Amino acid sequence: MLLQDKIIVVTGAARGLGRSCAVRFAREGADLVLVDIAKDLAAVPYPLGSADQLEHTAELCRKEGAATVTVAADVREREAVQEVARQAFDRFGTVDVLLNGAGIAAPSGKAVHEISEDEWDLMVGVDLTGAWRMTKAVVPAMIEQRSGSVINVASTAGLVGYRHFAGYVAAKHGLIGLTKAAALDYGPFRVRVNALCPGSVRDDPLHEGRMLAEIARSLDVDVDEHEEIFVQSQPMNTLIEPQDIAGAAVWLAGNDSRQVTGTTLTVDGGFSAR
């Protein structure tokens, strides 16, 4: 198993790509700390991961043989992130891998000048500052043990621009910048930091994903036809599957990528090659 005995923290683990990656990590032999806000936010116009969904992810991981801890935490809050780290270290003693998967795609659907201060702060707070805060909390243990891998789940929105998604695009570009800077900071300690950039990922009911549907809603795309519309922009004529992202995350988490740091691994079916 590629991740045997590794301790992995996954944020945004209640559903979607977070769940997909967590279950695959468990299947590869890792033990897990699963983190999600586990509640809705009034300013986000769609339901976020719930406590029940987070526990369901944990049960799926336990069925794969993983020891699993769940923590409800808002990555925008310093004390909540510190509690995640405390529970991880109390249970497992260290952290080998951090997957920063917590993120939101909305509030979006507005031109730059129409975005409110609160909307901007929310998007950047979750999608960028949250990853920085989690890194700050767990990387010191990686430095001490002279090994570790941080995987920041960015997006093709971190590589190109999207109309009416300025907050999301800015946060994901910033996340890739954070990745590169952190890779240089931590390289001497053999702690690797990489960004994973998914393209248009299908909302698999098994993982209860809904990101693509929410992006479609923000773009005023008919939800009943959104998959077909997104496929039209894919050179490989298919949407990305959650397991495609999970497989890439396993590689970045494992020893086969031990010389890979500061890079952006794009899994988008060729979309960004245009």
Side-chain angles (χ1 to χ4, degrees):
M1 292 192 285
L2 296 175
L3 303 176
Q4 186 69 48
D5 299 325
K6 289 189 181 294
I7 309 303
I8 303 183
V9 176
V10 179
T11 70
R15 67 179 188 204
L17 292 183
R19 176 182 291 176
S20 177
C21 290
V23 173
R24 181 65 184 276
F25 290 160
R27 192 170 300 150
E28 296 292 348
D31 294 324
L32 297 157
V33 179
L34 304 177
V35 183
D36 204 278
I37 192 170
K39 65 179 182 180
D40 292 339
L41 292 175
V44 178
Y46 60 89
L48 298 179
S50 68
D52 286 345
Q53 287 173 318
L54 181 59
E55 185 54 37
H56 182 55
T57 300
E59 286 302 316
L60 293 173
C61 293
R62 290 172 186 137
K63 287 179 181 178
E64 299 290 345
T68 305
V69 174
T70 60
V71 187
D74 185 338
V75 295
R76 297 174 301 162
E77 298 176 358
R78 182 174 61 88
E79 293 80 6
V81 168
Q82 289 176 338
E83 178 62 15
V84 171
R86 187 192 67 78
Q87 292 204 36
F89 297 137
D90 284 354
R91 176 66 184 274
F92 298 113
T94 192
V95 173
D96 299 298
V97 179
L98 167 64
L99 183 126
N100 281 313
I104 55 174
S108 294
K110 298 179 179 180
V112 172
H113 69 280
E114 296 172 330
I115 301 170
S116 72
E117 294 274 349
D118 288 344
E119 289 170 337
W120 181 271
D121 289 345
L122 174 62
M123 184 67 68
V124 173
V126 175
D127 289 10
L128 175 57
T129 307
W132 165 75
R133 192 168 279 119
M134 285 298 308
T135 300
K136 184 177 175 67
V138 304
V139 163
M142 297 180 182
I143 291 173
E144 185 174 346
Q145 68 189 15
R146 292 298 192 270
S147 68
S149 175
V150 178
I151 305 166
N152 293 321
V153 181
S155 165
T156 52
L159 305 171
V160 300
Y162 289 99
R163 182 172 178 264
H164 287 175
F165 273 81
Y168 186 71
V169 168
K172 294 300 186 179
H173 272 72
L175 188 56
I176 291 175
L178 173 64
T179 297
K180 293 180 179 295
L184 295 177
D185 285 348
Y186 302 136
F189 306 101
R190 304 200 64 76
V191 176
R192 302 179 295 109
V193 187
N194 293 288
L196 178 55
C197 288
S200 296
V201 180
R202 187 172 69 88
D203 291 333
D204 183 355
L206 178 65
H207 300 102
E208 300 184 86
R210 59 183 303 155
M211 182 70 77
L212 197 63
E214 290 305 324
I215 291 173
R217 185 195 57 76
S218 294
L219 294 172
D220 292 326
V221 172
D222 189 333
V223 173
D224 293 332
E225 301 177 358
H226 76 284
E227 288 193 0
E228 180 181 347
I229 291 171
F230 281 113
V231 163
Q232 293 174 8
S233 65
Q234 298 298 114
M236 295 184 71
N237 298 314
T238 185
L239 295 176
I240 312 303
E241 296 293 337
Q243 58 263 33
D244 298 327
I245 307 304
V250 166
W251 184 71
L252 288 173
N255 295 331
D256 286 345
S257 61
R258 61 186 176 273
Q259 291 294 338
V260 178
T261 193
T263 195
T264 302
L265 178 56
T266 305
V267 185
D268 69 349
F271 172 81
S272 60
R274 296 179 185 274

